[in-house]
Amino acid sequence: MNDAVSFSGWQRADGRKGIRNVIVVAYLVECAHHVTRRIVNLVDDIDVHLIGFPGCYPNQYAYEMMRAVCTHPNVGGALLVSLGCESMNREKLLTEIRASGRPAELLVIQEAGGTKSTIELGLAAVKRLQSEAAKVARVPMYLNELIVGTICGGSDGTSGISANPAVGRCFDALVAADAICIFEETGELIGCETIMADRAITPELGEEIEACVAKAEHYYRVMGFGSFAPGNADGGLTTLEEKSMGAYSKSGSSPISGLIKPGDIPPAGGLYLLDVVPDGEPRFGFPNISDNAEIIELIACGSHVILFTTGRGSVVGSAISPVIKVCANPETYRRLAGDMDVNAGRILEGEATLDEVGEEILQNVIDVASGKRSVSEELGHQEFILTYKAFEPIGPSCLPVRQIQ
């Protein structure tokens, strides 16, 4: 498989290409959530997605995340729904979305006359946005233009043996085709920092990787918890080290080209580590309160597709970017086959090799990028969650690829 593989994408004015052309309807505070949800439910279209930020207090991370997802290459237009007195800078967000070349509209509930009138106005606005998005040109798109993220959730003793390393094989093939691949979460990679540093393309990047894992370890120690959950133990994982090595295997074996934070877009093909643990002293609670929080951060970094591995089973999908489910445990697959795309448990039963399942995952990526709906998409999963965090900008050592271009 190489970067000559092509499919049809949507050309965006900013030069990027998307594999979907969704309209996002976004609430800018929890007080606008119900109205926004009613608009999306009444439209009842698989390509109209509900997203939003519940907080009223200002948070730069939340603003940047909303800007990133509303201007994601898979997004063709955006409707913002404001109560009217929240701190989210709605006019700036609207201006930035429009500056990206996408149609965008804003409704303020306090000015629009309340719930019923805002819903009516919202339905009309979505129709206009859909009409404009439909005019976007379709163009050829290649593997080296894809960004693919990966996450594991509901891990068990089989995850690090089958699904995770199979995703690693897929990542190696994608990186070889000059695509961008992103793995995360530093809090689940504690103990793997040295081997990741050894894979960094420069010693300075290696030092940054070790520092970000140390930050995660400090954060968890102060907050009084770690990434090892009771469900992991029930599923047969014995130690944090075993879970970390299993999670690490999703990254494959390619050199690590950079370290990014939520909302950073990798500048060139290669493998990147996403640091999801907030900077500064711990103050926001658990770094990611659910798997979907990490999925959204991967999407904010430009991921067109998300590879989600699970051993115990998970049914979630995501707004904006399709989620491909890779099931590690054959027993789980038999119970939840209707929610899974790939049965990596065949490796454990001697029916397939890691390389064969890796190729199957890669073919799923190509098929979904070509327009085929993933299972979670077909089922209507469009989960989205966004909370408070704080991050400092990355330094030049984190993206050494920029220094040699």
Side-chain angles (χ1 to χ4, degrees):
M1 202 69 66
N2 57 53
D3 60 1
V5 174
S6 67
F7 34 91
S8 183
W10 280 267
Q11 180 67 65
R12 303 302 176 194
D14 59 10
R16 297 191 291 171
K17 298 174 185 177
I19 65 167
R20 295 292 185 269
N21 197 29
V22 305
I23 303 298
V24 293
V25 185
Y27 57 92
L28 304 185
V29 67
E30 185 63 25
C31 305
H33 191 162
H34 171 75
V35 169
T36 311
R37 183 178 294 279
R38 287 292 294 156
I39 293 168
V40 172
N41 287 347
L42 289 169
V43 171
D44 192 23
D45 187 316
I46 195 171
D47 290 318
V48 176
H49 294 191
L50 174 71
I51 67 172
F53 176 61
C56 189
Y57 189 80
N59 182 247
Q60 186 63 29
Y61 159 82
Y63 177 85
E64 293 298 333
M65 291 288 288
M66 287 294 289
R67 181 197 57 75
V69 297
C70 287
T71 59
H72 188 278
N74 287 354
V75 172
L79 171 62
L80 307 180
V81 183
S82 161
L83 175 62
C85 52
E86 70 277 352
S87 64
M88 179 73 72
N89 191 333
R90 57 183 180 268
E91 294 294 344
K92 181 181 179 184
L93 182 58
L94 179 69
T95 298
E96 292 198 280
I97 297 170
R98 288 175 172 170
S100 76
R102 292 162 177 79
E105 298 195 25
L106 169 66
L107 292 174
V108 181
I109 296 170
Q110 291 170 348
E111 299 172 4
T115 297
K116 289 185 177 180
S117 58
T118 306
I119 292 171
E120 292 174 3
L121 291 168
L123 294 173
V126 170
K127 287 184 179 180
R128 290 191 294 271
L129 293 167
Q130 288 176 310
S131 178
E132 288 300 309
K135 299 175 184 177
V136 176
R138 300 295 298 274
V139 296
M141 187 174 176
Y142 302 91
L143 274 184
N144 63 358
E145 297 177 290
L146 272 183
I147 303 179
V148 181
T150 189
I151 174 180
C152 48
S155 298
D156 70 5
T158 70
S159 296
I161 304 172
S162 58
N164 289 359
V167 165
R169 299 294 203 280
C170 174
F171 262 28
D172 286 343
L174 286 167
V175 171
D178 205 30
I180 292 171
C181 292
I182 307 173
F183 73 110
E184 47 73 63
E185 151 178 19
T186 48
E188 291 192 350
L189 293 169
I190 294 171
C192 300
E193 57 270 25
T194 302
I195 53 176
M196 289 192 293
D198 288 342
R199 292 170 59 190
I201 62 173
T202 67
E204 293 79 13
L205 173 59
E207 292 173 4
E208 294 282 359
I209 290 172
E210 291 189 280
C212 84
V213 176
K215 177 186 69 171
E217 186 174 12
H218 171 70
Y219 194 107
Y220 284 147
R221 186 185 304 112
V222 171
M223 298 305 293
F225 49 65
S227 66
F228 195 88
N232 298 142
D234 292 343
L237 283 169
T238 59
T239 61
L240 176 60
E241 289 80 4
E242 183 183 6
K243 184 180 182 184
S244 292
M245 287 302 295
Y248 167 76
S249 67
K250 298 197 306 298
S251 67
S253 59
S254 303
I256 298 176
S257 295
L259 174 67
I260 58 176
K261 298 181 182 182
D264 293 328
I265 309 296
L271 177 67
Y272 295 81
L273 172 62
L274 173 60
D275 177 8
V276 300
V277 176
D279 290 322
E281 284 303 308
R283 63 187 187 278
F284 290 106
F286 199 77
N288 277 322
I289 62 174
S290 72
D291 293 326
N292 278 93
E294 297 167 72
I295 291 174
I296 297 309
E297 289 176 328
L298 286 165
I299 292 171
C301 293
S303 297
H304 295 92
V305 179
I306 304 296
L307 300 176
F308 189 123
T309 67
T310 184
R312 301 204 65 190
S314 175
V315 301
V316 301
S318 177
I320 301 171
S321 295
V323 170
I324 296 173
K325 287 288 187 40
V326 183
C327 188
N329 189 318
E331 292 297 329
T332 301
Y333 183 85
R334 283 187 273 272
R335 286 196 307 272
L336 297 174
D339 284 275
M340 302 298 161
D341 296 274
V342 177
N343 178 14
R346 292 183 299 125
I347 297 167
L348 301 180
E349 296 185 324
E351 297 176 1
T353 66
L354 278 171
D355 287 337
E356 288 170 342
V357 175
E359 291 174 4
E360 182 182 349
I361 297 167
L362 176 59
Q363 189 59 53
N364 267 261
V365 170
I366 294 169
D367 291 344
V368 168
S370 300
K372 179 185 176 181
R373 301 286 183 179
S374 71
V375 171
S376 63
E377 277 188 291
E378 288 282 6
L379 292 171
H381 284 282
Q382 296 178 4
E383 288 85 350
F384 186 96
I385 185 169
L386 181 58
T387 56
Y388 287 92
K389 281 188 178 182
F391 288 94
E392 299 168 1
I394 56 174
S397 295
C398 294
L399 287 177
V401 68
R402 287 182 173 168
Q403 300 172 1
I404 59 176
Q405 284 181 331

